[in-house]
Amino acid sequence: MIRKLAFATFGVAILSACSIDPKDWETEPVTVDTPQGQVVCQLYSENIVRWDRAIDRPEDMSVETADTYCHNEGLKQKGM
């Protein structure tokens, strides 16, 4: 029982040392030109493009469309 408790405590300590807060992985925002106007994207580490999202977009553009532009920009930069 003590051994299981020790392993559990060790596991919690290891996981708490890992950062899962997206703010720890943010890069400088980038601006993407689209047919509807500029979208400002918050990109993250090149290995975490699924977090990429729009932080500013034209009024007539949906959040989903803006986020898609940002996700695509993250994939583009990952390939660089």
Side-chain angles (χ1 to χ4, degrees), residues 39-73:
V39 175
V40 180
C41 301
Q42 178 59 68
L43 304 181
Y44 297 86
S45 166
E46 67 181 31
N47 296 320
I48 313 175
V49 295
R50 72 175 186 214
W51 287 350
D52 296 346
R53 62 185 174 81
I55 56 175
D56 193 30
R57 61 184 166 78
E59 285 185 25
D60 61 339
M61 181 183 288
S62 71
V63 172
E64 294 81 13
T65 299
D67 285 346
T68 298
Y69 278 112
C70 293
H71 181 78
N72 290 339
E73 180 64 20

Side-chain angles (χ1 to χ4, degrees), residues 10-53:
F10 180 72
V12 169
I14 293 296
L15 289 176
S16 65
C18 299
S19 173
I20 56 171
D21 184 1
K23 289 207 175 282
D24 293 338
W25 299 94
E26 289 180 351
T27 64
E28 289 295 317
V30 297
T31 302
V32 177
D33 291 319
T34 75
Q36 292 175 273
Q38 294 184 328
V39 175
V40 180
C41 301
Q42 178 59 68
L43 304 181
Y44 297 86
S45 166
E46 67 181 31
N47 296 320
I48 313 175
V49 295
R50 72 175 186 214
W51 287 350
D52 296 346
R53 62 185 174 81

